[in-house]
Amino acid sequence: MVSVRLPDGKTLEVAAGTSVAELLPRVHSRVARDALAARINGRVVDLATRLNDPQVELEALMPSEAGALEVLRHSAAHVMAEAICALWPQTRLVYGPPVENGFYYDIDLDHSLTPDDFARIEAKMAEIVAADRPFTRYEMPRSAAMEKLRREGNIYKIDNAERAEGDTLSFYVTGAADSGCWEDLCRGPHVPSTGRIGAIKVMQVAGAYWHGDASKQMLQRVYGTAFATKKELAVYLAQVEEARKRDHRKIGPELGLFATDPMVGTGLILWKPRGAVLRLTLEAFIREELLRRGYQPVFTPHIGKLDLYRTSGHFPYYKDSQYPPLYESDRARLLNALWELARTGGAAGATPAEVELFAQIARQHPDLQAAGYPADLPVEERLRRIRQWLAAEDGYLLRPMNCPHHIRIYGSEARSYRDLPVRLAEFGTVYRFEQSGEVGGLTRVRGMTQDDAHIFCTADQLADELAGCVDMAKHVLDVMGLTQYRVRASLRDEGDKYVGSTENWQKAEAAILDVCRNSGMEWFIGRGEAAFYGPKIDFLVKDCIGREWQLGTVQCDYNLPERFELRYIGADNREHRPVMVHRAPLGSIERFCGILIEHFAGAFPLWLAPVQACVCTVSEKSADYARQVFRLCQQANLRVELDDSGERIGSKIRTATLLKTPYVLVIGEQEAAEGRVNVRTRDGRQLGSCGIAEFLAGCAAQIATRSLELPGA
RNA sequence: GCCACCGUAGCUCAAUUGGCAGAGCAGCGGUUUUGUAAACCGCAGGUUGCGGGUUCGAGUCCCGCCGGUGGCUCCA
């Protein structure tokens, strides 16, 4: 006998070998009818699973539960794969898991699927669903299963099977066992039958590398979504549609915030007056915080010598994603090429290619000819020598980060432990030559401004400084009402992109994890997400189509102070190495604005709105008074516009409302006579007649508190 | 960078199997003096992203490029 414990605490006794499906009618008739899968001792399984252990905890998964939806979508992926195979028999299936909001199936198919094919695929899927065929699981010993897969010859499935754990491999037939119906190597679990998938839709097709490896061939990834009912699908599609309407790439230009221009360049943002006001307002908010938190402002240029970035490590580790260096001379360009060759060449002695390149350069330059190439010396010495030759005429790099400049400010004077922490802040503009396929909107750009700062402190001060930075990052998100974010502790992985000693990394990662633990916030670990110089804490926020972006960041760095040989004099009168914190609460201002536009759907709170009020005349008769109101608003530092055009008042209100202007001040003869204003909000509320001073005071109060709401009537 | 889709006036969209590039809004000029989301009349606006090709004829078909979009890879 098997003792089955249900979520409500009740216990049922059933014969060993009873399936979950057979047992469910004893739980509840509706559960028996609707359950899609079950959770046994925490593991999600098919309803056909037979119970054998003497004691089990059992929970039926109903269609409304997230766990069930995942199973249903996995089953939907099978149905889609079967449909595609039916239409294109040469299809080779790769991998088809459920994902957030749906599922996908990677396939290898010579025919490129297009949206035109979706209707055919969906029609075929509808047939399979209508047939209501059972999902039947069967298992084979690993060796027999491998033999079967090799016979079938799908290299991808063989690969999947080789990666799968366990002595047996499982297959799912979309039909009765031995029915000859379509089947797939699959761990499961699945819903009982295809008919249980109430609604499926093929969403899109995209390329995806096999194993996510860019050196492997590209497969086609067909995305779909599925729900238990057509109504739920319709609701989801409507939500997607609604979310798309807030896309900053659409409403940003519509609201006159920014433009992009192929003539200027991909990923280079032109901030128009309204967008510039938004930015400046955000920056003013940040500046206020910086002042309160003991930061000191600095200004530094947008470019620097290549050698600065050789020292920091930015160049050439990130060569591919930097704008190409600017060279003063051909000689510098060639010497830099030599430097790169030497860097990646032989550690002990120069490679022939290296020697040949030097000879080529030296032919044009007698001084180098005379100096000769130290081909037999170790790589460090060769590199040092090349940098010496370059010193007089090195190239310049458009800066990819601000830290090297700030580091040189720290290094520009002797520092005492009494000065620490030194917190240097700048809205620093950086340039990164992002891959063309990545650039888009405001969220991934090639020129951006960070609300950057670098803190130089002692090891003892580090924990407090990191905590202070996390606090500020949380605070700015809080002020914006951005509550839906995830926090990631970004640590290093086994990759080779990192600089510095293991000891430095261990100290830095310990510091980052300590701050996370002590912060009281929820967080997760992201291996391989660290910066090349240190681990970080990243604040991630989703955009309107569900993509997650890093906004704020707090980074701990023992390595750059070492590379730049930074120091301070301690209380012991000896030299010590400071620790650095890199931090940007907004991250990139471009990206932050993109997210902010979508967060507010363009309807910014009063304190952020590029134009806070529009004074609209009813007719020319009230124009003089309207101009007076306009001027009073201006003098009260309200960002205000005047519409005294010949349009009708309805049209003016419509125009201002479409621009999401928080307040329209309707000015007619009545208002002029009374010396008042008539206030209407962008959400269509008529707040009625109001004294000018009263209106301005109300606005001032909202702005001062950075209120997220426009006040009610 | 890779795979795919898209590109007609500032915006939203039309244009039969390849057969004269059009409308609304925005803009400009008039008329109207207006009361809470679109007054009326008129005018102008285009090398159909760019460049080649096929064809008697290309917005439409083919090739290349540019730009945008969705993914993948990358993201200091």
Side-chain angles (χ1 to χ4, degrees), chain A residues 516-537:
Chain A
C516 287
R517 288 192 198 101
N518 297 334
S519 67
M521 57 191 182
E522 277 191 44
W523 53 281
F524 68 100
I525 286 177
R527 299 240 173 245
E529 301 289 346
F532 76 89
Y533 47 74
K536 48 190 183 137
I537 300 168

Side-chain angles (χ1 to χ4, degrees), chain A residues 341-393:
Chain A
L341 204 55
R343 198 181 59 82
T344 53
T351 59
E354 209 179 314
V355 173
E356 170 52 37
L357 180 56
F358 176 80
Q360 190 194 322
I361 304 167
R363 275 197 286 279
Q364 310 294 321
H365 301 284
D367 60 315
L368 295 180
Q369 193 82 52
Y373 195 59
D376 297 332
L377 297 181
V379 63
E380 294 78 22
E381 180 55 24
R382 303 204 302 279
L383 291 174
R384 199 186 61 80
R385 201 70 69 82
I386 299 168
R387 283 170 74 167
Q388 256 175 20
W389 291 328
L390 274 166
E393 50 172 353

Side-chain angles (χ1 to χ4, degrees), chain A residues 186-434:
Chain A
C186 179
R187 185 174 35 191
H190 283 285
V191 297
S193 68
T194 58
R196 306 298 291 276
I197 307 167
I200 318 185
K201 187 169 170 57
V202 179
M203 301 293 285
Q204 52 175 324
V205 60
Y209 298 107
W210 189 29
H211 289 168
D213 181 344
S215 67
K216 296 276 191 336
Q217 81 270 35
M218 184 146 287
L219 308 165
Q220 295 187 67
R221 178 166 293 178
V222 190
Y223 284 89
T225 193
F227 288 89
T229 64
K230 295 204 161 46
K231 192 176 168 192
E232 286 168 282
L233 174 64
V235 167
Y236 169 72
L237 293 176
Q239 274 171 3
V240 169
E241 194 55 41
E242 204 51 42
R244 275 182 202 286
K245 287 185 191 158
R246 5 177 99 206
D247 193 324
H248 74 275
R249 291 166 300 192
K250 180 172 168 57
I251 65 179
E254 277 173 7
L255 298 179
L257 300 176
F258 67 91
T260 53
D261 182 354
M263 200 178 262
V264 173
T266 300
L268 300 171
I269 305 303
L270 303 172
W271 288 92
K272 298 169 77 169
R274 283 170 172 261
V277 169
L278 172 64
R279 255 185 82 151
L280 286 168
T281 307
L282 265 181
E283 288 178 10
F285 162 54
I286 294 293
R287 269 196 195 96
E288 213 176 278
E289 286 295 321
L290 292 175
L291 200 63
R292 207 197 309 284
R293 293 166 188 262
Y295 287 79
Q296 297 173 291
V298 294
F299 286 106
T300 59
H302 294 197
I303 68 173
K305 274 201 185 163
L306 266 188
D307 212 52
L308 177 67
Y309 302 100
R310 290 198 188 94
T311 302
S312 68
H314 290 95
F315 185 85
Y317 292 104
Y318 290 96
K319 187 161 167 265
D320 292 341
S321 48
Q322 288 162 358
Y323 277 93
L326 308 156
Y327 292 103
E328 294 179 47
S329 69
D330 200 41
R331 170 176 150 135
R333 189 179 58 76
L334 288 166
L335 279 172
N336 184 59
L338 179 64
W339 182 80
E340 283 188 47
L341 204 55
R343 198 181 59 82
T344 53
T351 59
E354 209 179 314
V355 173
E356 170 52 37
L357 180 56
F358 176 80
Q360 190 194 322
I361 304 167
R363 275 197 286 279
Q364 310 294 321
H365 301 284
D367 60 315
L368 295 180
Q369 193 82 52
Y373 195 59
D376 297 332
L377 297 181
V379 63
E380 294 78 22
E381 180 55 24
R382 303 204 302 279
L383 291 174
R384 199 186 61 80
R385 201 70 69 82
I386 299 168
R387 283 170 74 167
Q388 256 175 20
W389 291 328
L390 274 166
E393 50 172 353
D394 202 2
Y396 287 82
L397 193 66
L398 220 35
R399 70 175 173 195
M401 289 188 82
N402 302 307
C403 34
H405 287 83
H406 291 185
I407 285 171
R408 296 311 297 158
I409 289 182
Y410 177 88
S412 69
E413 55 187 280
R415 303 288 180 174
S416 150
Y417 72 98
R418 298 177 205 275
D419 303 331
L420 269 41
V422 170
R423 308 185 186 94
L424 304 179
E426 174 180 22
F427 292 96
T429 305
V430 300
Y431 300 88
R432 298 175 184 179
F433 195 71
E434 303 283 8

Side-chain angles (χ1 to χ4, degrees), chain A residues 596-634:
Chain A
L596 214 53
I597 290 166
E598 296 182 359
H599 175 61
F600 292 120
F604 297 103
L606 190 68
W607 73 278
L608 272 176
V611 173
Q612 294 165 315
C614 186
V615 180
C616 295
T617 54
V618 173
S619 80
E620 230 165 67
K621 291 174 195 156
S622 48
D624 281 340
Y625 175 67
R627 273 188 283 276
Q628 216 175 308
V629 171
F630 170 72
R631 223 158 279 137
L632 282 170
C633 290
Q634 265 187 333

Side-chain angles (χ1 to χ4, degrees), chain A residues 27 51 55 64 110 205 207 277 357 369 411 583 644 662:
Chain A
V27 176
L51 301 170
Q55 294 267 332
S64 55
D110 47 11
V205 60
V277 169
L357 180 56
Q369 193 82 52
R583 42 102 285 167
D644 57 357

Side-chain angles (χ1 to χ4, degrees), chain A residues 31-111:
Chain A
V31 172
R33 194 188 64 205
D34 293 341
L36 293 179
R39 198 175 275 136
I40 296 181
N41 299 334
R43 201 164 59 88
V44 179
V45 299
D46 297 327
L47 292 185
T49 305
R50 298 194 176 279
L51 301 170
N52 287 308
D53 296 343
Q55 294 267 332
V56 296
E57 300 234 347
L58 178 89
E59 181 190 352
L61 288 180
M62 301 301 281
S64 55
E65 291 170 58
L69 200 52
E70 214 171 281
V71 173
L72 179 132
R73 286 169 172 174
H74 186 186
S75 300
H78 274 234
V79 170
M80 184 178 77
E82 179 179 344
I84 292 172
C85 288
L87 294 167
W88 294 275
Q90 72 274 33
T91 304
R92 285 191 296 175
L93 298 173
V94 184
Y95 179 56
V99 291
E100 190 180 12
N101 298 325
F103 61 88
Y104 67 76
Y105 216 116
D106 281 350
I107 61 171
D108 183 3
L109 173 61
D110 47 11
H111 164 75

